[in-house]
Amino acid sequence: MTAADAFGAPGGPGPLPPTAGRDGSGTGSRLLDLRPAPAAATRARMFAAQTRLELILTLRRGESVLLTMIIPVGLLAFFTAVDVLPSGTEKSVDFLVPGVLALAVMSTAFTGQAIATGFERSYGVLKRLGATPLPRSILLAGKTAAVLAVEVIQLVLLLAVGFALGWDPSGGAGAVPSVLALLVLGTAAFSGLGLLMAGTLRAEATLAAANGVYLLLLLIGGVVFPLSELPGWLRAIAEVLPTAALSDGLRDVLADGSGPGVRNLVVLAVWAVVTLGLAARTFRWE
């Protein structure tokens, strides 16, 4: 039996209907084209999907929750209770809250992200993403946006604990734009540093290096101790680190009621541009 017999036989499937002509008369002779036409999604849709995925994965990792939520809250409560900080007439909690906010940003954007991304490379997750149309820039942007979403939760939690401990911030509602600018720049700077490390080092090396840098920045970054307590040469180094710039800027706004400081904004912007640029250029999928 020929194909013509099959299509012409009674009860058979019959010929495919023609599509409408260009003039809408329905007399076109071209058959309906049902072939799939796969194409990459728009960059905006890829960014939204990647951000959502990264946020879900971050919240599912128990160690990330420990690092980003419990440690900053624990440090804030401990150093407020023992009252050993040389902060002059200022209450310890007023000095600590801005520094702990900076620590929370560093924990989420740098340490947690560097370790998680490093092991994603090690397990071959990023290698599979590399076979898709997803660009490296969208992957990095999605990870950074997910970090910002987690930081919103951190911010609410830390502010609630700070108020419960007697924190009395300065600046009022006028301080909000400065605080947001500092947090966004700080997130970009630490995220770029973490992704640069995770995209170039082995997972085990990233784990060790990220924890080592985290501890170093905690000690000399002005988070729980004033930079004025450091030796002169060490203070000069600390002042150009993103941790000190972020903690000092937040402290200027929230504790002193002044602006964030041009130097702090410039330091964070330089770190953000340099680290994110290098990460986008050097990041390896495997």
Side-chain angles (χ1 to χ4, degrees), residues 96-119:
L96 283 167
V97 170
V100 171
L101 288 176
L103 176 66
V105 172
M106 180 175 68
S107 299
T108 306
F110 170 63
T111 313
Q113 183 163 228
I115 295 173
T117 306
F119 279 97

Side-chain angles (χ1 to χ4, degrees), residues 23-232:
D23 59 355
S25 61
T27 59
S29 60
R30 183 170 57 87
L31 295 180
L32 184 64
D33 188 358
L34 299 178
R35 292 175 298 177
T42 64
R43 296 175 73 88
R45 290 186 62 186
M46 286 192 286
F47 171 72
Q50 190 64 31
T51 300
R52 179 177 178 273
L53 174 64
E54 295 293 342
L55 180 59
I56 292 173
L57 292 177
T58 299
L59 295 177
R60 284 180 177 176
R61 288 192 290 263
E63 66 276 10
S64 295
V65 175
L66 174 67
L67 183 67
T68 61
M69 303 291 183
I70 299 178
I71 292 179
V73 171
L75 287 174
L76 177 59
F78 174 78
F79 281 103
T80 299
V82 297
D83 196 19
V84 297
L85 300 181
S87 54
T89 59
E90 183 183 21
K91 291 190 301 183
S92 294
V93 69
D94 291 340
F95 176 86
L96 283 167
V97 170
V100 171
L101 288 176
L103 176 66
V105 172
M106 180 175 68
S107 299
T108 306
F110 170 63
T111 313
Q113 183 163 228
I115 295 173
T117 306
F119 279 97
E120 284 175 356
R121 286 181 64 232
S122 175
Y123 297 152
V125 174
L126 299 186
K127 179 180 179 180
R128 288 167 173 78
L129 285 177
T132 71
L134 181 70
R136 284 184 297 183
S137 59
I138 298 297
L139 171 68
L140 303 184
K143 286 181 174 291
T144 303
V147 164
L148 282 170
V150 173
E151 287 174 358
V152 172
I153 304 173
Q154 289 178 300
L155 183 64
V156 172
L157 177 62
L158 288 172
L159 292 182
V161 173
F163 282 121
L165 294 173
W167 178 48
D168 184 19
S170 302
V176 173
S178 296
V179 171
L180 292 179
L182 287 166
L183 292 177
V184 170
L185 284 175
T187 299
F190 284 116
S191 183
L193 184 60
L195 292 171
L196 176 62
M197 184 179 294
T200 54
L201 301 177
R202 293 175 59 88
E204 294 78 8
T206 299
L207 175 63
N211 283 310
V213 172
Y214 177 84
L215 180 60
L216 177 64
L217 294 179
L218 171 63
L219 294 176
I220 69 170
V223 174
V224 294
F225 295 104
L227 293 181
S228 58
E229 299 298 314
L230 300 175

